[in-house]
Amino acid sequence: MFEISLTTTRENAEKDLQAFKNSVPQFNVTEFKQRNENGNRCYIYLRLQENGKQLRVLRGGRPKKLTNDTVVEIQERLRSDAGCNKTHLAAEYGISYGMLLRIEKGKY
């Protein structure tokens, strides 16, 4: 979903809004905020959502602790040393024991 504002003149607001909607047929365009008219200017606040799909919102979130190379390294260490202490290995890489088990099973 995207939110934008369309700036136009009062007289051309409806025509410009329709032209914009026609230019992006893959999106459902709706107004989400009251129009703001200032002098001869008109500001229209629009929300665009892709037709037929739920868009996934990307958020910053926490950065991953492990790179792909580190995961491969952990898997190799688990395979090579059968008596490896998994609790200490998890602590060494700063991950939980459960995460270590997921890496071992190949589910990470």
Side-chain angles (χ1 to χ4, degrees):
M1 179 177 358
F2 304 97
E3 293 177 354
I4 64 168
S5 68
L6 177 66
T7 305
T8 183
T9 61
R10 281 183 176 183
E11 298 81 31
N12 294 331
E14 290 304 320
K15 183 181 75 164
D16 290 345
L17 178 59
Q18 193 58 43
F20 179 78
K21 285 181 178 182
N22 292 339
S23 70
V24 287
Q26 69 273 25
F27 290 99
N28 178 23
V29 181
T30 56
E31 291 186 45
F32 73 93
K33 195 174 174 184
Q34 185 175 0
R35 291 182 186 193
N36 180 6
E37 295 184 1
N38 185 5
N40 192 31
R41 285 277 181 224
C42 181
Y43 303 94
I44 305 171
Y45 303 97
L46 303 172
R47 181 171 286 143
L48 285 70
Q49 185 166 4
E50 195 168 357
N51 289 326
K53 291 185 181 178
Q54 279 287 67
L55 295 181
R56 193 171 142 195
V57 178
L58 299 177
R59 296 189 175 127
R62 184 175 10 162
K64 289 187 173 188
K65 289 184 179 181
L66 302 175
T67 64
N68 291 338
D69 295 336
T70 310
V71 171
V72 170
E73 180 182 322
I74 292 170
Q75 289 172 336
E76 288 174 359
R77 285 182 67 180
L78 288 169
R79 282 188 208 112
S80 66
D81 187 8
C84 178
N85 186 329
K86 293 178 184 174
T87 305
H88 288 118
L89 187 62
E92 181 181 330
Y93 285 96
I95 58 175
S96 68
Y97 183 78
M99 177 60 74
L100 187 76
L101 293 178
R102 284 193 293 272
I103 291 170
E104 183 178 30
K105 292 177 183 179
K107 295 185 177 183
Y108 177 81

